[in-house]
Structures are given as C-alpha cells and as structure tokens.
C-alpha cells in the first residue's frame, strides 16, 4: 500500500490594513443603513467615517483613503434597474 502524500500546510492569509479598512467600511455601510439614504446624509456619514478610518488605520496612504471612499460611495448607491426594451 502506498503512503498517503502529505500536503504542505498553507499559512492563513493575513489581510492587509487596506483590506481590513475596506471590509470594516463595507460592514458599517450595511449596518448603518447608508444605502439609499439622502445624498447629503451619505456625504456627512462618509466624512465622519473617513476621519474614523484615518485614526484607526494610520499606516494607510492618502490615496488609499481616496480609493476607500470611492469604493464606499459606489457600494452605497442603490442598485440600478435594467429597462427592458420593447421589441
């Protein structure tokens, strides 16, 4: 009988600070009801959230915070409906 081959252990992937900040922001967007709220309220929420994330993740660069905000604002937009064309 052949011995079963042992597979090398893979170490768990540790998320980068950027990935952690992105995931935390997405969770907060879903929990706080930001999706579909008034644009003025969204802007205020994102302003406050970005200040919080900058304090929490000081190792991130300014351009990464700009990317995070852009991703968050896109994520918070309501789903677009597809219009069916009359044939």
């Amino acid at each position: 009988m052949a011995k079963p081959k042992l597979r090398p252990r893979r170490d768990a992937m540790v998320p980068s600070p950027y990935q952690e900040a992105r995931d935390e922001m997405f969770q907060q967007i879903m929990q706080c009801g930001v999706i579909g709220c008034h644009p003025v309220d969204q802007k205020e929420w994102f302003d406050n959230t970005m200040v919080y994330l900058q304090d929490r993740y000081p190792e991130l660069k300014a351009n990464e915070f700009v990317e995070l905000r852009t991703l968050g604002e896109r994520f918070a937009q309501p789903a677009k409906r597809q219009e069916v064309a009359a044939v």
Side-chain angles (χ1 to χ4, degrees):
M1 291 208 170
K3 277 185 162 180
K5 292 184 180 179
L6 296 177
R7 294 183 184 177
R9 271 182 99 181
R10 292 187 183 182
D11 293 330
M13 294 286 295
V14 177
S16 70
Y18 178 82
Q19 292 170 330
E20 288 180 5
R22 179 199 62 207
D23 294 347
E24 184 175 344
M25 182 181 62
F26 286 165
Q27 287 176 348
Q28 291 302 317
I29 288 171
M30 290 185 292
Q31 290 176 355
C32 293
V34 178
I35 297 174
C37 72
H38 194 272
V40 174
D41 295 332
Q42 278 187 355
K43 182 187 178 316
E44 182 181 349
W45 187 89
F46 275 107
D47 290 343
N48 294 334
T49 301
M50 296 317 294
V51 169
Y52 165 77
L53 289 175
Q54 287 171 350
D55 290 342
R56 186 153 160 74
Y57 298 97
E59 62 272 16
L60 295 181
K61 298 175 183 149
N63 65 332
E64 291 176 314
F65 287 110
V66 172
E67 287 178 25
L68 280 174
R69 182 166 185 145
T70 302
L71 285 173
E73 288 173 345
R74 288 180 185 166
F75 186 73
Q77 296 301 313
K80 293 182 181 179
R81 296 183 182 179
Q82 294 182 353
E83 295 181 17
V84 179
V87 179

